[in-house]
Amino acid sequence: MVPTLSARGLVKRYGRVTAIDGADFEVRPGEVLAVVGDNGAGKSSLIKALSGALIPDAGEIRVDGEVVHFRGPLDARRYGIETVYQDLALAPAQDIASNMFLAREKRHPGLLGKLFRKVDQGWMRAEAQRVLDELGIAVKSIAQPVETLSGGQRQGVAVARAAAFGTKAVIMDEPTAALGVAESGRVLALIDRIRQRGLPVVLISHNMPHVFEIADWIHVHRLGRRVGVVTPREHSMSQVVGLITGALVLSEDGELEEVSSAVRTGLGE
């Protein structure tokens, strides 16, 4: 199966600092791919490159196997790649529907829209409600301001907006970081519903229990590059932590080895 979103050999340098060092990446339809790594591993830089917020110095990005060149986030969005950042990028004083169609407002048909640029608020509210219902996100009213919502509901609105417009992939940056146990569970259920629609989800997270609960595959990032892709079904949490810290490496035949034995093998001992 051709990956929906993939990258090969991405490089990004800032003077003597290498943020991305020949990184590879791929996610396929209907998958939840968790991207994990220690602070400073280059996860954020990788995701920024995939979402158009950063232009790599070398390497290529592909959408459905086609090489693409993102000059900014709008280019990535045109290819159907939506990103939900930690700050959610919501306008608190505006209602839910206005936030879901932020910068994508639907104008009234005919002269009202063309001449007076009048927004079709009724259509946007109906469509926003349809998307929320489809994803199982409960709110009192589609017309209520976002500032009146709980943290989990705000996260739900941001995710619903991404799911409504994302056709190739939805990237989520630490979606449960500021949420309690119950609201985190609802966000994970929301991610599962997006997966069931066939839309791949890229989940950046430090929360290993959440990663092991929802992810199909785990992309481990270290020192600016991918050091392995493992599955929660076959690998333990401690093994993933070992890859993150460098205590373990993934051999060419897909087996995990301790670094000391890997070094000895490389030296021919």
Side-chain angles (χ1 to χ4, degrees):
M1 185 184 297
V2 176
T4 302
L5 177 63
S6 63
R8 289 289 178 271
L10 293 185
V11 175
K12 182 63 180 181
R13 297 187 180 92
Y14 299 96
R16 295 183 179 181
V17 177
T18 301
I20 312 177
D21 189 14
D24 296 334
F25 174 91
E26 56 194 32
V27 64
R28 294 174 174 79
E31 288 183 352
V32 175
L33 174 72
V35 178
V36 300
D38 209 346
N39 292 332
K43 303 187 304 298
S44 295
S45 296
L46 171 66
I47 295 309
K48 285 179 180 178
L50 296 172
S51 61
L54 177 155
I55 300 175
D57 299 324
E60 64 179 25
I61 297 173
R62 293 176 179 263
V63 175
D64 286 339
E66 174 192 353
V67 177
V68 296
H69 301 281
F70 298 151
R71 294 167 297 177
L74 287 179
D75 285 344
R77 287 167 60 176
R78 290 188 188 103
Y79 276 94
I81 299 166
E82 292 287 330
T83 304
V84 181
Y85 294 104
Q86 287 191 54
D87 62 6
L88 302 183
L90 297 175
Q94 295 192 34
D95 64 28
I96 294 171
S98 297
N99 270 279
M100 286 188 61
F101 288 91
L102 203 60
R104 289 165 166 158
E105 291 81 4
K106 173 77 171 178
R107 294 181 189 171
H108 262 287
L111 287 178
L112 282 176
K114 292 182 180 178
L115 187 60
F116 297 102
R117 303 172 67 88
K118 183 175 176 60
V119 172
D120 193 342
Q121 192 72 36
W123 181 92
M124 290 195 305
R125 287 183 175 177
E127 183 64 13
Q129 187 66 65
R130 184 192 67 77
V131 174
L132 293 182
D133 290 343
E134 184 179 320
L135 294 173
I137 301 171
V139 295
K140 291 181 180 178
S141 169
I142 201 71
Q144 70 184 107
V146 163
E147 63 190 359
T148 66
L149 302 177
S150 68
Q153 288 174 318
R154 294 186 192 196
Q155 186 70 254
V157 170
V159 172
R161 178 176 61 193
F165 294 100
T167 57
K168 298 302 179 184
V170 173
I171 300 172
M172 299 186 190
D173 187 8
E174 298 284 357
T176 63
L179 302 181
V181 174
E183 290 193 326
S184 293
R186 285 192 282 270
V187 170
L188 294 180
L190 177 57
I191 293 172
D192 185 48
R193 283 192 285 273
I194 294 174
R195 168 172 53 191
Q196 291 173 15
R197 298 170 69 192
L199 187 61
V201 177
V202 180
L203 173 67
I204 301 92
S205 180
H206 283 93
N207 192 311
M208 283 297 163
H210 289 171
V211 166
F212 271 74
E213 180 178 345
I214 196 67
D216 297 299
W217 296 94
I218 302 173
H219 166 125
V220 182
H221 215 69
R222 176 174 165 77
L223 300 177
R225 66 173 63 188
R226 183 177 70 184
V227 295
V229 178
V230 298
T231 171
R233 296 184 299 274
E234 299 175 2
H235 298 87
S236 68
M237 204 175 295
S238 62
Q239 288 176 318
V240 172
V241 172
L243 283 171
I244 290 173
T245 60
L248 296 176
V249 295
L250 201 62
S251 66
E252 292 183 0
D253 58 4
E255 296 295 324
L256 288 173
E257 300 179 354
E258 291 186 8
V259 167
S260 55
S261 90
V263 170
R264 285 196 299 271
T265 301
L267 294 174
E269 295 183 1

